[in-house]
Amino acid sequence: MSQAKVDACLNHIEQVIIGKRDIAQLSLTALLAGGHVLLEDVPGVGKTMLVRALAKTLGCHFSRIQFTPDLLPTDVTGVSVFNPKTQQFEYRKGPIVGDIVLADEINRTSPKTQSALLEAMEESSVTVDGQTIKIDQPFFVMATQNPIEYEGTYPLPEAQLDRFLMKLEMGYPTLKEEIQLMNLNKNHKPIEDLAALLSKDDVVTMQQEVEAIHVDQTIQTYIVKLAHATRGFAGVKLGVSPRGAISMMQAAKALSYTKGRTYVLPDDVLYLMPYVWSHRLILTDRGLYEGLTPVTVLKAVSETVDVPLRRDA
C-alpha cells in the first residue's frame, strides 16, 4: 500500500518536474524519515518548483524564505507583538512555522540567522522571548544554495551541514527532457493545476509507519562499520559522526518504505551513502590535492566492509 501511495505521488510530481524521479523520491524519503534536505545546484534547474510540487502533492502548506544578508532571526522564527486590547504580547509566527518550507539561498544570510533556521530544524520548535512554540508535523525544510557564486555568502559550517539528512543535486535535464519542459510551460505553468493527492494526516501516518520498518542487527552493525571506516580513511580529516550513522538508519528505513518493503536491505544503505554522508566528510588538504572527493571516498570505503548476507526466513 505504501509503495502505491509513493508511486502515485512521484507520478504526480513528474507532471511538473521532468526526469528527476530519483531526486523526488529521495526528497520524499527524507521527509518521511523526519529529516531535511540541502539542495545544492545552479539557478534555474527547478529546485523551487520541486519543493512546491512536493507540497501541493502532499496537501501541505508551503512557505518560502528568501535569505538575504539583512535577514534577521526574527524574520524566520516570528516575533512577539504587544496587543493594546489585551495588554499582552502575542506571538506572530514566522515562515518557518509551516509544513514544507523552502529556505532559498541559505548561504546568503548571516550565521546568526542560519542558526535560527537550523535550531528549528533540529528541535522542531522555535523560541521567541523565552516562549517555546512547537512546530506541528509534518515539518520539512529544503534549503537551497548556489555552488557557483561565493561573493557575499556565508558558507555553512560543517557542524551545521551535519543537521541535514541529505544533500542532493538536481542536475541539468537531457535534451529530450528540456524540450518536454518547454512544451509543458508553453501556455501556462503546470504547477498551478497540480492537485493534492494526500493530506497532512496521511503524511504523518506514513511517517509513523516508517518508524515500524525493521532494521536487523546485522544492518545496524554494517552501518556502524562503514561509518568507522570513514574515520580512519587516508585523506579524510573528519569522518561520519554517530549522528550520521543514526541518520543513515532512519533514511534507509524510509527508503525501504517507499519501495514497499517492511525491512532494510544492505543495498538501501549503499544507495544512500553519497546522499546521506558525502556532506558530512571533511577531506585533508593532501587528499584534495590527490583528487579525492567525498563520493570517491565513500565508494572506496564500501569496498572495504563486507556486505552482510541475507538470512533465509
Side-chain angles (χ1 to χ4, degrees):
M1 182 62 181
S2 64
Q3 189 173 16
K5 282 184 181 179
V6 170
D7 287 343
C9 288
L10 296 178
N11 292 337
H12 207 58
I13 292 171
E14 278 193 312
Q15 295 178 31
V16 178
I17 306 294
I18 305 295
K20 303 298 177 187
R21 189 181 183 92
D22 55 340
I23 299 299
Q25 182 171 19
L26 286 166
S27 301
L28 186 58
T29 297
L31 188 155
L32 294 178
H36 308 281
V37 168
L38 178 63
L39 196 54
E40 185 177 78
D41 218 320
V42 297
V45 292
K47 299 188 294 292
T48 301
M49 198 62 68
L50 172 63
V51 188
R52 289 183 62 194
L54 188 64
K56 281 205 163 193
T57 299
L58 300 179
C60 294
H61 177 261
F62 169 78
S63 62
R64 181 176 182 269
I65 310 171
Q66 179 62 56
F67 283 87
T68 56
D70 60 348
L71 196 74
L72 299 175
T74 51
D75 295 328
V76 175
T77 60
V79 65
S80 292
V81 178
F82 184 73
N83 187 335
K85 291 183 179 180
T86 61
Q87 294 292 300
Q88 291 181 339
F89 283 93
E90 296 178 354
Y91 171 65
R92 299 283 178 86
K93 67 179 183 180
I96 192 62
V97 183
D99 300 330
I100 295 182
V101 181
L102 171 64
D104 212 2
E105 296 187 297
I106 187 176
N107 57 333
R108 289 203 176 278
T109 196
S110 67
K112 187 174 183 179
T113 306
Q114 289 176 358
S115 297
L117 172 75
L118 294 163
E119 180 188 2
M121 289 165 46
E122 183 70 15
E123 307 295 336
S124 291
S125 63
V126 294
T127 303
V128 179
D129 294 337
Q131 180 186 3
T132 300
I133 297 93
K134 192 71 178 172
I135 303 175
D136 294 332
Q137 295 297 325
F139 173 54
F140 176 64
V141 175
M142 186 173 279
T144 70
Q145 63 178 9
N146 183 348
I148 305 300
E149 297 179 27
Y150 290 106
E151 187 175 350
T153 63
Y154 304 85
L156 287 171
E158 285 74 15
Q160 294 185 353
L161 280 173
D162 200 39
R163 307 282 179 181
F164 289 95
L165 180 65
M166 295 185 194
K167 181 181 178 183
L168 306 177
E169 297 177 4
M170 293 283 288
Y172 284 115
T174 63
L175 180 65
K176 183 179 178 181
E177 289 166 354
E178 197 160 354
I179 291 171
Q180 283 182 268
L181 280 171
M182 292 191 74
N183 288 328
L184 270 177
N185 291 272
K186 186 163 54 178
N187 298 319
H188 72 292
K189 293 184 178 180
I191 188 71
E192 306 300 336
D193 300 331
L194 210 62
L197 281 187
L198 303 178
S199 67
K200 287 173 57 174
D201 291 340
D202 292 328
V203 177
V204 172
T205 299
M206 291 168 75
Q207 288 178 326
Q208 293 169 347
E209 290 171 350
V210 165
E211 289 297 322
I213 297 296
H214 176 67
V215 185
D216 193 81
Q217 186 65 47
T218 58
I219 301 294
Q220 293 183 28
T221 303
Y222 181 52
I223 293 172
V224 172
K225 284 183 176 179
L226 288 169
H228 272 255
T230 65
R231 299 168 197 167
F233 196 86
V236 175
K237 184 190 299 183
L238 186 66
V240 175
S241 66
R243 176 164 54 197
I246 294 170
S247 295
M248 174 60 78
M249 181 178 67
Q250 293 300 115
K253 287 168 66 175
L255 182 66
S256 301
Y257 180 84
T258 65
K259 293 180 178 292
R261 280 188 271 105
T262 58
Y263 52 88
V264 174
L265 293 177
D267 286 347
D268 299 325
V269 177
L270 290 171
Y271 174 72
L272 287 168
M273 279 178 70
Y275 307 109
V276 178
W277 280 355
S278 64
H279 62 290
R280 303 174 194 269
L281 296 181
I282 303 176
L283 306 184
T284 63
D285 292 338
R286 183 178 180 85
L288 291 169
Y289 177 77
E290 292 175 351
L292 283 180
T293 66
V295 173
T296 58
V297 167
L298 291 172
K299 186 177 187 305
V301 162
S302 68
E303 294 170 354
T304 65
V305 179
D306 292 334
V307 178
L309 297 176
R310 182 174 178 178
R311 295 183 299 187
D312 293 333

